[in-house]
C-alpha cells in the first residue's frame, strides 16, 4: 500500500527537491518557488539616505515574498499525499516555514521524522543524504522508537 511511501525534501527559498521512496522505486520532483529576491537600489551602507518610498517598496516586497512562500509550501504539500514519513533538509528559513505549514495540518503533523540543516550540495549529494537517512537512521529509529523519541526528540 502507498502508506509505506517515504519522502525526503531538500529545500531552500528557490526550489524544493522532493525525493519519494516507495518499495523499490525512487522518484525526484523539483518544484520552483518563484520567490523574487529584493534589492534596494542604493540601499543601506551605500552612503545614500534611506528614502521612505524604499521602505514602502520593501514592505510590499516582504508581503509578496510571504505569499509566494506560502504558495511554494502549498505546492510541495500537495505532493506529499499518502506518505508515511517526511524528512526535511536544507539551509535557512525555508525549511522552518515548510515545517510550520505541515504542522498546521493534522494529517501531516505526526509524519515529520527529520528536520535537519543541510547546506547547498549537488543533486546526487541531496539524493544520498535523503537515502542514507531513510536507510540508516530512520530504520534504526523505528526498531527502537520508544527509547529514541525520549532521547533524541528532534524538536
Amino acid at each position: 500500500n502507498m502508506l509505506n511511501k517515504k519522502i525526503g525534501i531538500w529545500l531552500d527559498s528557490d526550489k524544493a527537491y522532493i525525493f519519494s521512496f516507495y518499495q523499490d522505486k525512487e522518484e525526484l520532483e523539483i518544484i520552483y518557488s518563484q520567490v523574487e529576491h529584493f534589492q534596494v537600489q542604493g540601499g543601506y551602507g551605500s552612503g545614500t539616505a534611506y528614502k521612505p518610498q524604499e521602505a514602502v517598496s520593501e514592505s510590499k516586497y516582504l508581503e509578496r515574498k510571504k505569499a509566494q512562500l506560502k504558495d511554494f509550501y502549498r505546492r510541495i504539500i500537495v505532493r506529499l499525499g499518502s506518505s508515511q514519513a517526511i524528512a526535511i533538509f536544507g539551509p535557512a528559513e525555508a525549511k522552518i516555514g515548510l515545517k510550520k505549514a505541515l504542522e498546521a495540518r493534522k494529517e501531516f503533523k505526526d509524519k515529520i521524522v527529520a528536520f535537519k540543516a543541510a547546506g547547498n550540495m549537488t543533486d546526487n549529494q541531496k539524493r544520498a543524504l535523503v537515502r542514507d537517512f531513510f536507510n540508516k537512521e530512520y530504520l534504526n529509529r523505528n526498531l527502537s522508537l520508544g527509547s529514541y523519541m525520549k532521547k533524541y526528540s528532534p524538536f
Side-chain angles (χ1 to χ4, degrees):
N1 71 21
M2 283 306 275
L3 285 174
N4 290 329
K5 193 173 181 189
K6 301 189 236 348
I7 292 184
I9 303 163
W10 185 101
L11 79 158
D12 60 18
S13 61
D14 293 318
K15 50 186 173 294
Y17 291 73
I18 303 176
F19 297 95
S20 310
F21 301 94
Y22 170 60
Q23 286 167 346
D24 296 328
K25 289 202 287 290
E26 185 184 309
E27 283 170 16
L28 166 62
E29 188 172 7
I30 300 176
I31 298 185
Y32 293 89
S33 72
Q34 282 132 24
V35 170
E36 302 146 62
H37 296 287
F38 184 69
Q39 293 283 269
V40 179
Q41 298 78 14
Y44 318 94
S46 66
T48 55
Y50 189 62
K51 299 187 232 14
Q53 70 266 26
E54 282 176 356
V56 170
S57 67
E58 189 172 10
S59 75
K60 274 213 187 84
Y61 157 75
L62 288 172
E63 249 165 71
R64 201 164 62 232
K65 181 178 179 182
K66 209 156 98 184
Q68 288 164 339
L69 281 171
K70 210 169 143 181
D71 179 61
F72 180 39
Y73 300 143
R74 187 188 54 74
R75 287 184 291 127
I76 293 169
I77 289 171
V78 159
R79 289 159 170 89
L80 305 181
S82 53
S83 53
Q84 148 209 330
I86 300 166
I88 303 170
F89 303 94
E93 61 190 320
K95 73 174 188 305
I96 296 169
L98 177 61
K99 178 172 175 263
K100 283 187 182 145
L102 284 168
E103 286 172 341
R105 304 172 68 136
K106 59 181 188 304
E107 71 269 37
F108 292 117
K109 207 166 59 193
D110 303 325
K111 293 182 175 178
I112 302 171
V113 295
F115 181 71
K116 296 172 181 262
N120 222 326
M121 44 180 77
T122 67
D123 294 5
N124 282 336
Q125 287 170 326
K126 292 179 181 107
R127 179 182 285 113
L129 174 78
V130 172
R131 196 192 279 136
D132 281 357
F133 169 77
F134 281 122
N135 286 344
K136 296 178 188 142
E137 195 178 323
Y138 178 71
L139 276 182
N140 297 341
R141 183 189 309 189
N142 278 356
L143 296 176
S144 57
L145 190 60
S147 62
Y148 186 93
M149 289 317 276
K150 282 199 280 291
K151 272 207 316 245
Y152 302 109
S153 178
F155 311 116

